[in-house]
Amino acid sequence: QVQLVESGGGLVQAGGSLRLSCAASGGIVSINTMGWYRQAPGKQRELVAVINSGGNTNYADSVKGRFTISRDNAKHTVYLQMNSLKPEDTAVYYCNADFVVTTRGLGYDYWGQGTQVTVSS
């Protein structure tokens, strides 16, 4: 069973920084795409940033220039460095892993439990 465990959320003042981590486990051989999504109260879950195994990245326009996604393929871990945080970044942040090769075969679309990020003004 593939599991994603996020850490690093918390409360920060506007203009501050946080770093999220997400470690995947469960017989993993490789992961094609890892990413971060967020969901604010009353809103739909939205893409924040994704990165593939080759290091290609894609960001939501709202976070470009402020957030940086990176990954350690050997550790099956993805990171999100968030700088210049704004109150509108407040949300539950979810880690996602897609096209995951495990010792049991290929799996798709795994999610972490979410970590709360709150930015105060």
Side-chain angles (χ1 to χ4, degrees):
Q1 181 77 6
V2 174
Q3 290 187 322
L4 303 179
V5 178
E6 299 119 331
S7 60
L11 173 64
V12 65
Q13 289 188 332
S17 298
L18 284 173
R19 188 187 194 218
L20 306 183
S21 299
C22 171
S25 62
I28 294 174
V29 176
S30 64
I31 304 174
N32 183 41
T33 304
M34 300 189 79
W36 292 94
Y37 294 73
R38 67 186 180 187
Q39 187 167 19
K43 294 187 177 182
Q44 290 187 331
R45 190 174 297 188
E46 63 177 3
L47 170 72
V48 177
V50 292
I51 183 169
N52 67 16
S53 57
N56 297 305
T57 59
N58 187 37
Y59 295 91
D61 288 342
S62 59
V63 306
K64 284 181 180 176
R66 300 188 298 123
F67 291 10
T68 302
I69 190 170
S70 61
R71 64 188 284 176
D72 185 329
N73 290 331
K75 295 181 179 180
H76 309 309
T77 299
V78 64
Y79 307 95
L80 186 68
Q81 178 66 44
M82 304 185 293
N83 299 328
S84 303
L85 282 160
K86 304 175 181 180
E88 50 264 42
D89 295 318
T90 295
V92 177
Y93 283 69
Y94 295 91
C95 175
N96 175 266
D98 204 3
F99 292 96
V100 181
V101 177
T102 73
T103 55
R104 298 171 299 282
L106 178 63
Y108 304 92
D109 204 26
Y110 297 96
W111 292 92
Q113 81 284 356
T115 184
Q116 177 70 46
V117 171
T118 302
V119 184
S120 63
S121 57

